[in-house]
Structure formats: structure tokens, C-alpha cells
Amino acid sequence: MLRYFGSMVLVLVAFGTLQAQKGLRIEGKIANAKPSMLVLVQYFGGDLMPIDTAIIGNDGRVVWEDKEGIPAGMCRILGIGRGMDIVVADSQRFSFEADMKDPIASIRFQNSPENTLFFNYQREVRTRYQRALSYRQQMGIKDDNDPRWKTRFRELNEEIKKHVDSLYKKYPQSFAVHFLKSYQEPKLPVLPLKILSPKDSAYLQSYAREHFFDNSFLSDERMVYTPTVPVRFERLLKTIPSLPKEEQLKLVEKTIQQTKGTVELRKYIVGKFAQQFELTPSASLDEVYQLVVQKYVIGEPGLWDASTLQKVKEVSAIKAKLAVGSPFPSLRLTDLTENERALEAVKSDYTVLYFYDPGCTHCRETTPKLTALANRYADKLQVYAVSLDADATVLKKFTEEFNTQNFINVRDTTRKIEFYTLGVFNYPTVYLLDRDKKMVARWLSVEQLASYLLNR
């Protein structure tokens, strides 16, 4: 049997603590299957973590094992169709029989009530969908936009929702049912109006955000090992920047508080919030970051390892040093004529501090945009461009290729500067400084830089 052990590297998050007592053993017997490799993987934080790889024998038998067991959650078998999800929850020693011609219809489990429930649901949905397709055929509907089909499809979705709700009422503690229910959007209040005013629409949008995770069971540790919660959480992350500061903070607080009692799920949510807003030009999102790390990382040291806590403290200190309105630390670097050029000596209304690597693809895409912007605002803007490659030949070639001769092109010939202490965690890094070299904005894209300059 081939063995694969995966690990996940995500800022502030580690793959979960193994918790099963008797280990994992899943035995399968699959009819009409050719000898092939099947990989058992587990969902975690939007990724698939390899657990074990096995070969189907000529007799159709296959076994996946892990002596320590894995965290309870959703797994996927790669190699059966496009992949087949299974539940690996409290019971991690079970078996199944299936036919490769139609695994969903044929699969039957021993010692796994959760999977029996899960696949019965899938067969029920398939039956209902086939009835809807029969209706479509009988009515001669060809177009998906046909009002009759759209109405029938809405009815089908409502039937499935009611079916899941009935399962939840019957099996409120079932992980499989929690997983199925997590696909549902929150139920919105019904307003007694035919036409919604802008105020009513805003209220419904706010309500939907506040109840965004109502069906996600964030107090259930197992939900981090599903594909649904991470996807929903990514949707939330995209929404937050456009909200007023007060709602940003309220929404982040509520989401984290819903994970009370979990470990890996809480670390995942907190870690993603911190990662998303660690380097942002937005003052309000910076407050979100400070709230998250101060209250839920530094404030909950028992959840985190020493290296994570140290990293968070270092980043917080760097951000404080580079706060908006603070003077940027002194920089004296060498240009292509081997002369020292001091940042504080630059005479300009605004200075763009541009840290880049000449070999970085993103830097090479960004530089032409910055050159065009610098030419556009040449009367009030100078670019102090710091190459992180100190080789003069490399820098000279870069300046000629991208026509950046109007920049102050410098590098650290001493090779002693630790640029991460200046907030250079990614390439390129862009800062906007005022006439006195005080920070105006941090960690900008060129597009954001253009907006700042346009309004000044």
C-alpha cells in the first residue's frame, strides 16, 4: 500500500489535531472497477489534504488506513468518477460495496450511519431531479430560461431545502445533515411590501450579512473539514472591505464568537481574518486586523504556538513603526553611479517608495504602470525605487528595459538591511510619503496609488 502524508501551510493555521482513538480503516468492494489508484483526501480550509492512497485489486477490493485516525469531517475519494464525497466522522472504521457503473445509486455502507444518511439524501435528490426532467420533456421545454422550467426548478430547490430541514429536525446532531444544511442561505424576513425602498433593501442586505453563518454550525469543529464553510467564509472576506467600519468590526467579532468551543475552526477563521487584513491601505481594515490579533491571537495564547505568537507581535511592531503620519525610517542607498542617495533628501510633494525584485513577475507587470503614473504626476511625484537585488548589472538592465531612468534607482550594496523590518513582506511593496517623508498610505497597488494622487 502506498502512503502519502500531507501538510498545510497557512498563515496562523495548522492541519488539525488527530483525534480518533482506534484509527481509520475504510474497506471498499467496487464491482466493475479496473485495477487503479484511488486517493482518499480530506477537506480542510478550502484545500484537499492527502490521507492515504490505495490500489483496487482484481477482485475490486480496496482499503484505506491511518493508524492514528483523522479529524472528523468530509473526505473525498479521487478516482471514482469526478470524485466522491464520503463522511468520516465519529465512526472511522467502516466498509462499503458499490458498482463503478453508478456508485451513488449502488453504494451501501456497513457501520456508518452518517454515510447511509448522506447517500440516501443524494439518491432522493436524484429521484426528484429526474422527475423534474421528465416534466420538462413532457412539456417540450427546450430553453433553460423558459418560465415554466424556471418555476419548476425553483420548486425543486424548495423541495430539497424542505427535505434537508426535515432531516435536521429528525437528526439534529448528525454531521452529515449539518454539512447538507450548510449549503443553505440564511432565511430573510418577509417585508409586507410589494416594492422595496432603498432603506428596505439595505436592511435585508444587513440582515443577510448578520445571519450569514446561521446554517454553517460554526460551533461544530467538524465544519472546517468541509468544502462549504471555507467557500462561504471567502465570500464574507470579499464583502467586508465595502462595509462601514462599525459593521466591519461587528461582523468580524460575531463570526469569531460563533466558533466558541472549537480549536481548528477558530484558528482557521481567526487566521484567515488576520492574513486577509494584515497588509492593507485601509485604516478601518487595519482596525479589524488589530482587533483580531490583539483579542483572538495574543489574547488567546493557548490556541497558538510560540512561533505564531512571535510573528504576530513582530508584524504588529512593524506596522506601528510604519503608521500613517509617522516619518519613514532613514534610508541611504546606492545608485548606479555608486553615489549614496538618501530618501529624506528627495525633493517632491510626494515620494513613492517602491520595493521590488527585478526578477519578480508581478514586479515586472507593475513597473510599467508605475512608470506611466510617475510621468503623469511628474510635477509633484518622485519614485525612490529600491531593488532588492543588489547586483548593479541586474539593476541597470532592469532600468533600461522598463525605462525607469527618471526614478531614483538604488540598492543596498552593504546587503545588511533586513527589508522585512520595513514592512516588505511581498514584492512589490508600495508606500506613499508626503513632502516630509511621513507615511500617507501603505501597501498600495498602483491602482490604489492613482486614486490617492487623484484626490490630492
Side-chain angles (χ1 to χ4, degrees), residues 151-357:
T151 297
R152 182 66 189 93
F153 200 74
R154 282 195 300 270
E155 291 172 349
L156 175 61
N157 285 331
E158 185 59 28
E159 289 172 13
I160 293 171
K161 179 183 178 301
K162 289 180 179 179
H163 180 58
V164 172
D165 289 344
S166 69
L167 290 175
Y168 180 59
K169 185 175 182 179
K170 190 174 183 180
Y171 307 104
Q173 302 304 318
S174 165
F175 171 63
V177 175
H178 286 191
F179 170 59
L180 294 173
K181 196 164 175 59
S182 69
Y183 280 98
Q184 295 181 359
E185 294 297 324
K187 184 176 181 180
L188 298 179
V190 178
L191 300 181
L193 300 168
K194 292 184 178 180
I195 301 177
L196 296 180
S197 69
K199 185 177 180 180
D200 296 323
S201 297
Y203 166 74
L204 290 176
Q205 291 171 7
S206 177
Y207 183 94
R209 289 191 293 268
E210 188 174 347
H211 294 268
F212 195 63
F213 290 106
D214 277 6
N215 297 319
S216 295
F217 302 94
L218 293 188
S219 61
D220 185 340
E221 179 82 295
R222 299 170 295 184
M223 295 306 293
V224 75
Y225 302 99
T226 70
T228 51
V229 166
V231 169
R232 178 166 285 273
F233 185 66
E234 289 294 334
R235 285 173 54 194
L236 179 71
L237 288 177
K238 293 177 181 178
T239 300
I240 288 176
S242 63
L243 302 177
K245 182 180 72 174
E246 292 74 15
E247 190 171 356
Q248 290 175 346
L249 295 168
K250 179 181 177 182
L251 198 54
V252 168
E253 279 265 51
K254 180 170 183 178
T255 301
I256 296 174
Q257 287 171 3
Q258 286 178 282
T259 67
K260 185 177 180 180
T262 70
V263 176
E264 296 304 323
L265 178 53
R266 191 174 184 87
K267 288 167 67 176
Y268 171 75
I269 295 293
V270 170
K272 288 290 287 185
F273 273 137
Q275 182 187 43
Q276 184 76 9
F277 304 125
E278 183 178 58
L279 306 178
T280 172
S282 166
S284 65
L285 292 179
D286 199 48
E287 286 192 40
V288 170
Y289 172 81
Q290 293 299 331
L291 166 72
V292 170
V293 298
Q294 292 298 325
K295 189 170 182 178
Y296 298 107
V297 181
I298 297 173
E300 296 184 349
L303 279 180
W304 311 96
D305 58 45
S307 62
T308 296
L309 290 169
Q310 182 61 30
K311 176 186 180 296
V312 167
K313 291 176 182 177
E314 287 180 359
V315 171
S316 294
I318 290 169
K319 293 184 71 172
K321 180 175 66 175
L322 303 177
V324 172
S326 299
F328 198 85
S330 176
L331 274 181
R332 294 178 178 273
L333 302 175
T334 306
D335 66 15
L336 286 171
T337 65
E338 302 305 320
N339 290 316
E340 184 179 84
R341 303 293 296 273
L343 173 62
E344 53 265 35
V346 176
K347 305 298 182 184
S348 179
D349 289 344
Y350 294 100
T351 300
V352 172
L353 192 49
Y354 182 52
F355 295 94
Y356 70 97
D357 185 322

Side-chain angles (χ1 to χ4, degrees), residues 15-172:
F15 189 46
T17 303
L18 302 181
Q19 55 190 2
Q21 295 179 348
K22 298 181 180 180
L24 174 144
R25 181 178 174 86
I26 302 173
E27 300 178 25
K29 184 176 181 181
I30 307 174
N32 295 305
K34 298 178 181 179
S36 60
M37 181 183 295
L38 297 181
V39 183
L40 179 69
V41 297
Q42 183 170 39
Y43 289 98
F44 178 78
D47 290 304
L48 292 172
M49 311 303 300
I51 301 300
D52 191 21
T53 299
I55 305 296
I56 300 180
N58 291 323
D59 58 358
R61 295 185 181 277
V62 61
V63 178
W64 297 273
E65 290 184 290
D66 189 291
K67 292 182 180 179
E68 300 298 325
I70 64 175
M74 293 301 300
C75 288
R76 190 170 181 85
I77 301 174
L78 304 180
I80 297 181
R82 296 180 180 179
M84 184 176 75
D85 287 345
I86 63 171
V87 182
V88 181
D90 300 328
S91 172
Q92 298 197 356
R93 301 180 74 85
F94 57 86
S95 62
F96 67 85
E97 293 187 8
D99 191 318
M100 191 66 89
K101 292 182 179 179
D102 192 342
I104 301 298
S106 61
I107 197 165
R108 297 295 184 272
F109 287 85
Q110 293 292 327
N111 197 36
S112 183
E114 291 276 22
N115 275 302
T116 297
L117 185 62
F118 181 52
F119 281 89
N120 282 344
Y121 162 81
Q122 293 182 69
R123 288 187 281 268
E124 176 66 23
V125 170
R126 177 187 284 189
T127 298
R128 291 172 186 249
Y129 184 66
Q130 288 172 342
R131 290 173 186 162
L133 289 179
S134 296
Y135 165 81
R136 176 170 175 156
Q137 186 176 12
Q138 292 170 4
M139 300 301 293
I141 299 172
K142 305 294 184 182
D143 188 351
D144 286 347
N145 291 318
D146 187 302
R148 294 171 297 172
W149 175 246
K150 292 174 74 173
T151 297
R152 182 66 189 93
F153 200 74
R154 282 195 300 270
E155 291 172 349
L156 175 61
N157 285 331
E158 185 59 28
E159 289 172 13
I160 293 171
K161 179 183 178 301
K162 289 180 179 179
H163 180 58
V164 172
D165 289 344
S166 69
L167 290 175
Y168 180 59
K169 185 175 182 179
K170 190 174 183 180
Y171 307 104

